[in-house]
Amino acid sequence: MRIFVMLMLVGIIASLGSALVYIYRDHGPDKNRAVKALSLRVGLSFGLFLLLMAAHWFGWIVDRL
């Protein structure tokens, strides 16, 4: 579970970085790559949130306080 969460976080950061690159490099009338990258980031973030909520609900994540 920990590895999957870390991979999702890396994917979120990579998507954010690629959107930043697309914003600076795309100068034509069709600038959809940045929007698609940011949409992917939002989708990954929402999916990670739902996964963490479900993992807590099903007891896959234990409290370590």
Side-chain angles (χ1 to χ4, degrees), residues 1-62:
M1 185 69 171
R2 182 178 294 171
I3 294 172
F4 186 72
V5 169
M6 293 302 283
L7 288 175
M8 288 283 286
L9 287 173
V10 167
I12 290 168
I13 292 171
S15 177
L16 186 61
S18 67
L20 180 66
V21 169
Y22 292 149
I23 286 173
Y24 281 117
R25 290 194 179 170
D26 286 348
H27 295 291
D30 189 28
K31 298 181 183 181
N32 290 335
R33 292 193 302 177
V35 173
K36 289 178 184 177
L38 290 173
S39 298
L40 177 66
R41 185 192 64 86
V42 169
L44 286 174
S45 298
F46 187 67
L48 180 61
F49 176 74
L50 290 178
L51 174 75
L52 291 174
M53 293 294 289
H56 181 69
W57 177 263
F58 291 121
W60 298 338
I61 299 174
V62 294

